[in-house]
């Protein structure tokens, strides 16, 4: 395994040179000590598209994880990534031969960043190759697939983590801390607004087989997941209504806009909106008997902004994917427990809820959410 000393030598800094470290490290000096020695998680990225590229760039600032391999169906992309990230030929795979990664001792984990509909089979193949898996959200198309992925990883004795980057975001974690400390009093209400106007009508996000649905699978999931970590409760029922203004762009099975409501065991309720037809919608609002918290933007790439009844939050702005990968390294290699879970079971909970939302849309009835 490589050490963080190698990293520091690579970027050419000494203890005295801390002031020239990337912003991520400067802003996180209190949390992440770049001089602490420890193992590095060696990661191969599968799917070299938009988000894969963002993760790769963010990983250049990681001190506990390193991009060492790629899996792609496009030879020209592999070449470009090899040159940019110094990836040796022996760590390059395609979708036909990546099972051979089991014979590669220089890769610890594979980060699956392909279209949603491919996650199930790819995660199971990676697990069967004996490597830890990090999978993008939504982890699967439904709860049944999610359960099969969890089972496969358990059988193979590998970790399954999901790219819930907000679970490591400082403003989000501060609100969770305040809520747990009782600073907002009894939680009564959560509002989640998640949406953007989607462009190209021919992209995989609007193809049911590859996406599993529309805005709900892609962006609405942030309000589903957020309603859980903001309130600290699991919803027990859901009602939902779908509306469509463009049935040509948003075909059968591709939801454009869904409004959904949750009930929680404490009596708290949530009201959320998921849409592919409105911009400027990335807002969480939590209301308790003694206070409130607001995140706006709540889940974008940052900077995240937050305030509570006590005033503005002033947590550091971080590169989400850098922090996520360093934290996941500690989880996989050192057994660290995150404040908010990011494992397959966490994704299964979201997918059970999303299954129930779609069922509520279909039946027009209030649906109980299965445990
Ligand atoms: P993208 O279209 O930019 O990239 C997808 C990649 O998968 C491309 O490189 C493409 O070549 C490859 N691919 C492999 N097989 C394919 C196939 N059969 N059809 C189409 N493409 C195929 O998409 P993206 O935005 O990078 O999204 C990938 C995953 O990452 C999705 O699950 C998405 O939900 C997730 N994502 C997460 C975040 C986040 O903030 N956590 C942000 C964006 C995307």
């Amino acid at each position: 395994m490589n050490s963080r000393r190698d990293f520091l030598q690579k970027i050419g800094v000494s203890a005295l040179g801390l002031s020239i470290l990337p912003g991520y490290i400067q802003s996180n000096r209190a949390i992440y000590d770049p001089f602490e020695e420890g193992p590095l998680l060696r990661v191969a990225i599968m799917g070299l598209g938009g988000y894969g590229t963002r993760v790769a760039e963010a990983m250049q600032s990681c001190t506990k994880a390193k991009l060492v391999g790629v899996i792609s169906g496009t030879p020209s992309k592999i070449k470009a990534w090899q040159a940019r990230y110094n990836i040796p030929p022996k760590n390059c795979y395609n979708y036909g031969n990546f099972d051979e990664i089991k014979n590669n001792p220089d890769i610890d984990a594979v980060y699956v960043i392909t279209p949603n509909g491919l996650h199930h089979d790819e995660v199971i193949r990676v697990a069967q190759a004996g490597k830890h898996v990090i999978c993008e959200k939504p982890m699967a198309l439904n709860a049944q697939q999610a359960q099969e992925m969890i089972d496969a990883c358990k059988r193979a004795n590998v970790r399954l983590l999901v790219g819930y980057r907000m679970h490591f975001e400082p403003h989000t974690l501060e609100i969770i801390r305040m809520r747990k400390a009782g600073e907002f009093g009894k939680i009564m209400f959560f509002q989640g607004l998640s949406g953007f106007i989607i462009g190209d009508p021919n992209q995989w996000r609007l193809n049911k087989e590859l996406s599993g649905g529309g805005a709900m699978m892609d962006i609405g999931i942030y309000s589903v997941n957020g309603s859980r970590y903001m309130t600290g409760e699991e919803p027990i029922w859901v009602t939902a209504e779908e509306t469509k203004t463009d049935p040509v762009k948003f075909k059968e099975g591709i939801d454009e806009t869904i409004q959904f409501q949750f009930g929680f065991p404490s009596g708290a309720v949530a009201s959320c909106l998921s849409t592919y037809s409105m911009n400027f919608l990335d807002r969480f609002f939590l209301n308790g008997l003694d206070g409130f918290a607001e995140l706006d933007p709540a889940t974008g790439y940052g900077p995240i902004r937050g305030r509570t009844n006590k005033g503005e939050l002033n947590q550091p702005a971080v590169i989400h994917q850098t922090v996520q990968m360093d934290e996941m390294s500690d989880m996989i290699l050192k057994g660290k427990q995150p404040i908010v879970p990011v494992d397959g079971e966490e994704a299964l909970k979201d997918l059970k809820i999303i299954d129930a939302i779609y069922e509520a849309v279909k039946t027009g009835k209030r649906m109980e959410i299965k445990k």
Side-chain angles (χ1 to χ4, degrees):
M1 300 222 172
N2 295 307
S3 73
R4 275 195 292 289
R5 188 166 294 135
D6 294 342
F7 164 80
L8 290 170
Q9 277 167 359
K10 194 178 80 193
I11 62 172
V13 292
S14 65
L16 291 173
L18 263 181
S19 59
I20 60 158
L21 278 169
Y24 151 72
I25 293 175
Q26 280 187 53
S27 60
N28 286 280
R29 245 182 345 211
I31 311 171
Y32 302 98
D33 175 1
F35 294 97
E36 181 205 330
E37 284 296 322
L40 262 185
L41 184 72
R42 298 160 308 168
V43 178
I45 289 184
M46 178 186 296
L48 313 183
Y51 196 64
T53 302
R54 184 176 286 274
V55 170
E57 285 299 305
M59 283 187 72
Q60 301 314 296
S61 304
C62 280
T63 58
K64 302 176 181 188
K66 185 177 178 192
L67 172 63
V68 298
V70 289
I71 298 142
S72 167
T74 314
S76 59
K77 277 196 208 166
I78 295 183
K79 261 210 156 117
W81 279 51
Q82 278 194 269
R84 182 157 179 80
Y85 302 115
N86 199 18
I87 295 169
K90 69 172 187 57
N91 289 358
C92 298
Y93 298 87
N94 59 46
Y95 292 106
N97 71 9
F98 76 78
D99 310 272
E100 290 167 20
I101 212 163
K102 70 169 176 285
N103 302 317
N104 190 332
D106 299 328
I107 294 173
D108 303 310
V110 174
Y111 194 162
V112 175
I113 317 185
T114 53
N116 313 339
L118 306 175
H119 294 175
H120 172 265
D121 291 5
E122 289 168 349
V123 164
I124 291 174
R125 277 175 70 187
V126 171
Q128 285 170 348
K131 301 297 177 185
H132 300 294
V133 202
I134 303 168
C135 180
E136 253 321 308
K137 48 60 47 185
M139 185 176 87
L141 300 189
N142 51 51
Q144 190 190 325
Q145 279 196 349
Q147 188 63 61
E148 288 166 7
M149 294 155 82
I150 292 168
D151 294 344
C153 290
K154 270 197 192 132
R155 270 197 304 276
N157 200 22
V158 297
R159 294 294 301 273
L160 171 57
L161 303 180
V162 182
Y164 286 124
R165 60 188 161 77
M166 303 319 298
H167 294 201
F168 306 103
E169 195 283 316
H171 299 77
T172 308
L173 291 177
E174 174 60 8
I175 291 175
I176 291 170
R177 187 200 64 74
M178 290 174 75
R179 188 251 303 148
K180 283 182 177 167
E183 294 187 32
F184 307 126
K186 180 176 159 49
I187 298 300
M188 302 298 287
F189 177 68
F190 170 78
Q191 183 190 42
L193 305 177
S194 299
F196 66 94
I197 296 178
I198 195 157
D200 178 10
N202 298 315
Q203 63 185 289
W204 67 260
R205 282 181 166 79
L206 299 175
N207 169 335
K208 167 100 172 144
E209 221 171 282
L210 287 171
S211 63
M216 180 59 63
M217 298 301 285
D218 192 31
I219 191 79
I221 190 171
Y222 283 96
S223 276
V224 170
N225 190 247
S227 73
R228 298 176 46 237
Y229 63 69
M230 293 289 278
T231 63
E233 289 196 76
E234 298 299 328
I236 49 176
W237 59 256
V238 58
T239 54
E241 311 80 37
E242 179 178 6
T243 46
K244 243 177 218 194
T245 63
D246 187 347
V248 176
K249 187 169 183 180
F250 305 103
K251 297 183 188 62
E252 180 68 29
I254 299 291
D255 49 282
E256 177 186 340
T257 299
I258 294 179
Q259 296 180 71
F260 54 99
Q261 299 78 37
F262 293 143
F264 297 93
S266 68
V269 290
S271 171
C272 304
L273 178 71
S274 158
T275 184
Y276 264 160
S277 291
M278 298 170 220
N279 279 336
F280 319 113
L281 279 184
D282 181 15
R283 180 171 190 267
F284 286 176
F285 180 73
L286 183 70
N287 197 265
L289 289 181
D290 300 334
F292 69 86
E294 180 185 60
L295 287 167
D296 187 356
T299 67
Y301 295 137
I304 299 301
R305 296 207 187 285
R307 72 184 178 108
T308 72
N309 51 298
K310 294 179 177 163
E312 291 291 317
L313 295 180
N314 291 308
Q315 270 55 41
V318 298
I319 301 171
H320 299 172
Q321 298 80 7
T322 310
V323 180
Q324 174 199 314
M325 293 308 289
D326 274 343
E327 287 290 300
M328 286 184 168
S329 169
D330 275 352
M331 291 172 64
I332 292 173
L333 299 178
K334 295 185 183 167
K336 184 174 178 184
Q337 293 293 327
I339 294 166
V340 186
V342 289
D343 54 13
E345 300 286 346
E346 173 76 4
L348 175 62
K349 287 178 184 165
D350 281 346
L351 286 157
K352 280 184 178 170
I353 296 168
I354 290 176
D355 284 354
I357 291 173
Y358 282 135
E359 203 53 30
V361 164
K362 208 158 68 187
T363 61
K365 293 196 174 126
R366 178 168 129 162
M367 303 302 300
E368 304 303 316
I369 297 168
K370 293 182 199 124
K371 276 258 174 268

